[in-house]
Amino acid sequence: MRRSARFARLFPDEELASIFELDPSRLKAAGKRGIIFDLDNTLGPRGAQELDGAVLELLDRLRAKGLLIGILSNDEGLTRGGLRAGLEGYPIYFDARKPRRQGFRQLLREMALKPEEAVMVGDNLFTDIWGAKRLGLYAILVSPFDPREPFHIRLVRLAARMILSLRRLLV
Ligand SMILES: [Mg+2]
């Protein structure tokens, strides 16, 4: 495998400022049939008990355009009953252990999608993006929903930014 191909697996296919920039027509034209979203800091602030009306509308709009929607979260989901109720009708998996592949595989199976038909959208390079790329999903990195984050998370983001800036040298 060429070095560039090997390293390409570590990087998102796209970076967007937010989920509201997703273009369903373009994704469908590229053969994508479904989107798997990370939850915390992608669809809402970390630990949110309900999602913004605008976010729920976006999910409905994407679905109305013919895309299947699923949610894959590393949170254990023990205190997220209210959030779950608000997302009725969308498959949602907690405790997914991204970047491990098992959770992705389970959700893809439930959505009846092949990896190459699915898009992963998340804010975390080390879990959402790397996990998705390991399985061959198209991966979109979005900026965190809520930029006010604890120090240790900001360190993780700094590491991610450093790795992304190395991309020019590696790929
Ligand atoms: Mg997240």
Side-chain angles (χ1 to χ4, degrees):
M1 194 187 279
R2 282 173 51 228
R3 193 180 75 153
S4 61
R6 203 166 58 221
F7 282 116
R9 290 176 44 189
L10 300 179
F11 295 109
D13 297 290
E14 280 181 50
E15 289 180 55
L16 296 178
S18 95
I19 51 175
F20 294 101
E21 291 187 0
L22 287 167
D23 180 350
S25 308
R26 193 166 54 79
L27 294 175
K28 287 190 72 181
K32 305 306 175 191
R33 296 179 50 236
I35 303 178
I36 296 176
F37 285 98
D38 167 54
L39 177 60
D40 286 323
N41 248 334
T42 295
L43 292 180
R46 184 170 302 275
Q49 292 299 339
E50 58 181 342
L51 296 183
D52 220 75
V55 173
L56 294 173
E57 266 172 39
L58 171 68
L59 296 182
D60 285 345
R61 201 159 62 237
L62 294 171
R63 180 158 64 178
K65 292 269 185 186
L67 289 164
L68 299 167
I69 304 296
I71 297 163
L72 192 64
S73 174
N74 277 1
D75 186 73
E76 290 185 345
L78 300 176
T79 61
R80 314 298 285 276
L83 181 128
R84 218 188 266 264
L87 286 166
E88 210 165 332
Y90 296 108
I92 174 163
Y93 269 65
F94 285 104
D95 204 12
R97 302 183 184 193
K98 295 170 284 183
R100 288 168 69 170
R101 283 171 283 199
Q102 184 60 25
F104 288 97
R105 285 204 183 106
Q106 277 182 3
L107 186 52
L108 286 170
R109 202 175 308 131
E110 178 167 341
M111 295 168 75
L113 287 174
K114 299 190 188 105
E116 62 270 24
E117 296 173 324
V119 178
M120 176 73 205
V121 177
D123 68 296
N124 190 315
L125 182 70
F126 303 109
T127 55
D128 304 320
I129 303 304
W130 286 7
K133 295 299 289 181
R134 289 177 75 197
L135 259 187
L137 278 72
Y138 189 82
I140 301 178
L141 181 69
V142 292
S143 304
F145 196 93
D146 182 356
R148 293 164 304 167
E149 294 184 295
F151 181 69
H152 68 282
I153 304 278
R154 293 212 307 272
L155 281 184
V156 173
R157 300 234 180 255
L158 180 64
R161 290 258 56 101
M162 286 169 64
I163 289 172
L164 286 171
S165 67
L166 285 177
R167 175 182 205 155
R168 271 169 296 132
L169 305 176
L170 296 174
V171 177

